[in-house]
Structures are given as C-alpha cells and as structure tokens.
Amino acid sequence: MKEKDWRLRVFDSLSFPTLVLRPDRVVLSANRVFLEKVGARIEDVAGKTCHDVFQKFSSNEGLPCSEQNCPLVSTLRSRKGHSLLRTTQDQQGNPQWEERVFSPIFDDHGEVFAVIESIRDVTELKTMERVVAGIQEFMNRVIQSSVSAIVAADCDGQILLMNQAAEELFGWGFHPGIELNIRQLYPEGKASEVMKKLRDADQGGKGKLPLTRMDIVNARGETIPVEMTAAIIYEGTSEVATMGIFHDLREKLAVEGKLKEAQTQLVQSEKMASLGRLAAGVAHEINNPLTGILLYGSMLMEGLADDDAKREKLTCMLEDATRCRDIVKDLLAYSRQTSSSKQVIDMNDLVTDSLLLIRDQKLFLNVTLLKDLSAERLLFSGDGKQLSQVIINLVMNALDAMDGKGTLTLRTFRLEDPHRVCLEVIDTGSGIPSEFLSHVFDPFFTTKEPGKGTGLGLSTAYGIVKENAGEISIKETGAGGTTILLTLPGTQGEDQQRFGLIG
Ligand SMILES: Nc1ncnc2c1ncn2[C@@H]1O[C@H](COP(=O)(O)OP(=O)(O)OP(=O)(O)O)[C@@H](O)[C@H]1O
Ligand SMILES: [Mg+2]
C-alpha cells in the first residue's frame, strides 16, 4: 500500500469524528466516523465551511464556537494545538460534554495550511468527574461535621487536614498551606511515641492504634487529656500519611472526679452515722450506772471525816468517774444525741470567746497567735456553747501538733452563693500522715500517747458541726502544717434583723 493510502486509512480509522479544515474554514475532508455521526456523505460537507456543516448536520443547536472566539483562528495564530469544551443536552435533556481538539498541519515551509478538528464525547468522563467531586464534597462534609476532632498529616508530620472539632480542641485556625507540624500538637516526645505504637503490629495491628488515653497540647500550651485512635494511610506498602481521631476527656474526667468524691463522702458519712449509732448506744448504757457511781461516791465522801485515809482513794475514784462522764458527754455530742439551743452568733465573737475559755493559757507561751478576723460581722444561727467546744478542740489539736511552738492562725471569712460563714484553724505543726486522713474523725482514733488524747476531739467536732448544718474538713495538710476548715450556713435577712443589724 502506498504511503498516502496508509495515511488516509489511518485518518478514516480514527474513532473520533474528525475534520480537516482550511484556514478559511472550508472543510477539506471528514473521516468516516464524522460522516456516520452527522448522517452525511463526503460531498455534502467537503467544500462547505465548518459553520455551514455544523448548522446543517449538527443535532445540537447553535455553533460550537463564535466569531470572536474561533479556535481555528487561535490555532492559526498560535500555531499550537487548542481544545474547547462544550456542554450540550441530549434529546432527553441529559447534560453532554464534547471536547473539540484543534491541531495545526504544517506545509514544507513551516506554514499552517490546514487544521485538524477532532470531536470527542467526554460525557462519561465528565459524569465520573462530577460523581467523584460529589463524593469528595460529601466526605469533606462528613469530616467537617464530625464531633470527633480529626487531623491528618503527611509523612513528615506536616498537617494536611484539620476539621472544625480539631480546630476547637487544638485551638489552631487551620488553612491549607499552614506551617503546622503534628509534633506541635503533642507534649515533647509523644508524637514519636504515637508513631512507634502505630508501626507496632502488637498494638492493635500494624498501622492502627486502638483507643488510647493520651495528652495533647493546644495552641495556648495547655495540656488536655484525650482518648485517641490513629491510623497510617498506605499506598501499596509505603506510608503516605497518618490520621488521628481525638475525643476531649476533660468533661468526662471532671464528672468522674466529682462522682468519686461524692462516693467517698457517702462512704465516710455512712461510716460516721453507724459509728454514731454505736457510740450513742454505749453512751446511754454507761450513763446510768455512771450517774449512780458519782452520786453514791459523793454521798460516801460527804460521810467521811476530813482526815479519813479513804478520802484519797475515793477522790481518785470520783475523778475517774467524772472523766468517764465527760467521755460519755463527748460521745453523745458526736452522735448528736445532746439537745442544742440555737441563737444568732457572730463567728468573730465566738472565736475570741472560745480562746478565752482555754484554761491553760501557758500552752500559748511559745506560739504566735494570729487572729485574722473578718472586718464584717459573720452571723450564723447555731449552738454557741457546742461550737465553742469545736473551736477549742481544733485549737488544742493545733497546739499539740506544733508541740508548743509555731504559728496558730484563726481566719474568719464569708463565702457567697450559698452564703457561708467560715473559720480556718491553720497551724504550722507536723501535719496529718495521709494514711490517717480517713480516720481522724473516727471516735477514739488518736495518735497521742495513752492518757494524753482520747481521740474524741475531732469526732465530737464533726457531730456538733453536722448538728448545726455545717461542714468540717481538712483543707490542707503536709509538712508545713494543717488547715482545718469549718463552714456554717450564714443567716438570712430575717435573723440579721432580730440581731439588730439591719432594718
Ligand atoms: N492539727 C492537727 N495536726 C496534726 N494532726 C492532727 C491535727 N488534728 C488532729 N490530728 C490527728 O488526729 C487525731 C485525732 O484527733 P482528735 O482531736 O479526734 O483526738 P486527739 O486529739 O488525739 O484526742 P482528744 O482530742 O480526744 O484529746 C490526733 O490524735 C492527731 O493524730
Ligand atoms: Mg484532739
């Protein structure tokens, strides 16, 4: 076959409809596919201008180009190939895409003497592109609207994607091209730890990190506890990116902490209540025989002559019985079995009066006593006598803990919402060892040597404070000393009026 015939056959065999045009738009030739597509013979199109051909044979309305925007002219001018995308509709109204590619044909002098126009139906390609773009858009929306914080990074750790939840959690405003590395989102050394776990097949499978408790760092440098999962994204066997999903644990941990605290308090108050019932039972049983011992002992004493040798022994007996009665009294106070009489009291007055009641003022000899009392009156309704006992017990404990030297501070203040009147007894003593903390309010718990402490001071204080609707707690304790906090509900307007303060 001759060279020329070959070329003609190739032109005719092209699967895209193709025309050969002269610079003046006259059709020189058209291949078979073109003629079949428009339903014409070669003599119907050859010698006509492309405008005429398209207007006559194209099923689509209008020309694919305009005078001002003629791809043929552009190709002649630029001497380079051009393409043009055209959207039309088929008979059912479905969108169709057509790509027209214009390529120059040069003569022996390098001049463009003709242009090949090839028409390609790219509807399928464009439809696929649209579907892919739609899926991408949908995926993007899913990622963006996720309540979990999602972050993706390339192999160098450069952040590629951050959804809104991640922006909020990490505090970074993300935009494409931002210079932000995954290492900036973790505390020092943690990012490489995550990567190591991710590559470890024993940690949930290679390339996967199962739900893990971790700390992250936000843009303000704050450490935030999170639960996270992560994965390596592979292309074949090579790593191309990593992604992590994070859940903020702050709220959950705060709720868990509060729940634990409430549970501990519940256990403690249940323990105190059952100990209270036991103490009340014992105290009642002992109270009657004790009253008898004291009564008959006193009667015996009255009947003895002043120089009777039995006097000394009887005095010892009566002293011990009196001590027993005091213990019973304390036990009854702890188990809230004593009657209380309430009046409106000023906490500042109560502190000053209680200190005067401590008989053995020698105890304060080497102690600096600081009375840091609030300038305003701190009124509350309570049993002054009982609460005075509480303050004395706390002060005595503080003095014991300081072994007679140090600084004892009594600080009063108010808290609002709810309105509370507070007293802190602060010492610079030895502190309470942590293993004793849950026992110090138990009756008879003491670390003092026999005869020095009964272990009823704090338990009595606890009973009295509860009876007066207040709270007593160890606010702080350690090598620097101990702070015991006492809070009582402050009086409302009505009581203040009775006290003559307002109205
Ligand atoms: N301020 C404090 N500093 C250090 N330890 C304290 C303090 N207050 C109480 N404790 C510890 O708590 C224990 C119980 O105190 P609590 O007042 O109930 O009994 P006590 O002081 O030992 O005896 P009592 O008060 O009956 O004489 C004490 O033995 C002591 O170990
Ligand atoms: Mg005590």
Side-chain angles (χ1 to χ4, degrees), residues 393 396-397 400 448 456-458:
N393 289 0
M396 293 310 285
N397 280 351
D400 283 345
K448 293 166 193 170
L456 281 174
L458 282 181

Side-chain angles (χ1 to χ4, degrees), residues 303-355:
L304 291 180
D306 283 352
D307 56 350
D308 196 316
K310 287 193 230 67
R311 253 187 184 273
E312 200 183 326
K313 288 180 180 127
L314 195 55
T315 307
C316 281
M317 270 176 63
L318 284 174
E319 270 175 13
D320 281 351
T322 309
R323 193 169 127 70
C324 286
R325 193 194 52 198
D326 289 345
I327 292 175
V328 167
K329 222 168 71 196
D330 284 348
L331 273 179
L332 288 173
Y334 163 64
S335 57
R336 297 180 239 164
Q337 301 280 320
T338 49
S339 57
S340 61
S341 67
K342 301 224 166 129
Q343 74 260 43
V344 176
I345 309 166
D346 176 8
M347 180 58 100
N348 294 332
D349 291 347
L350 187 71
V351 170
T352 308
D353 295 348
S354 304
L355 285 172

Side-chain angles (χ1 to χ4, degrees), residues 64-65 69 71 82-86 98-102 117:
C65 50
N69 185 20
H82 270 270
S83 75
L84 185 84
L85 195 66
R86 186 181 178 224
E98 215 176 62
E99 192 184 28
R100 293 177 175 251
V101 182
F102 294 83
E117 177 179 0

